[in-house]
Amino acid sequence: AEAAGRRALAALAVLPEGERALLELITVDQLTLPEAAAALGIRQVTARVRLHRARKTLHGAAQSVTDQRTPGPALARDALITGTGERT
């Protein structure tokens, strides 16, 4: 559990400040997207884009850790996507 927490904090550290602030307001402070946008003084559309980018970055970081730890499921996932057992 500690290792997962450290990886999550490391992934958060690489996010740009605006993305990290928005993600924290939504996940930690439990604000809605419109509330978080208002708190940051940005438009809701901008907030949506930042949230999407932050989630994509964090998902990519989590996926790379999963791929490193368990190559079997990653290969199975790639086989479903590409129709082969080889990575693309």
Side-chain angles (χ1 to χ4, degrees), residues 39-57:
L40 294 172
I42 60 175
R43 297 179 312 150
Q44 288 184 34
V45 172
T46 303
R48 270 191 230 109
V49 170
R50 287 184 185 179
L51 183 60
H52 173 75
R53 288 179 182 163
R55 287 176 173 166
K56 185 176 179 180
T57 299

Side-chain angles (χ1 to χ4, degrees), residues 76-88:
R77 182 195 71 236
D78 291 342
L80 287 173
I81 293 170
T82 64
T84 70
E86 299 176 10
R87 299 199 95 161
T88 56

Side-chain angles (χ1 to χ4, degrees), residues 1-81:
E2 287 179 21
R6 277 189 237 116
R7 285 191 304 271
L9 288 174
L12 284 172
V14 302
L15 291 176
E17 178 62 31
E19 292 176 17
R20 184 172 54 250
L22 180 68
L23 192 63
E24 288 173 354
L25 287 173
I26 291 173
T27 58
V28 176
D29 297 329
Q30 299 288 305
L31 296 181
T32 65
L33 186 86
E35 292 169 337
L40 294 172
I42 60 175
R43 297 179 312 150
Q44 288 184 34
V45 172
T46 303
R48 270 191 230 109
V49 170
R50 287 184 185 179
L51 183 60
H52 173 75
R53 288 179 182 163
R55 287 176 173 166
K56 185 176 179 180
T57 299
L58 294 178
H59 179 73
Q63 192 63 46
S64 68
V65 169
T66 301
D67 288 350
Q68 290 173 5
R69 297 178 119 202
T70 55
L75 288 175
R77 182 195 71 236
D78 291 342
L80 287 173
I81 293 170

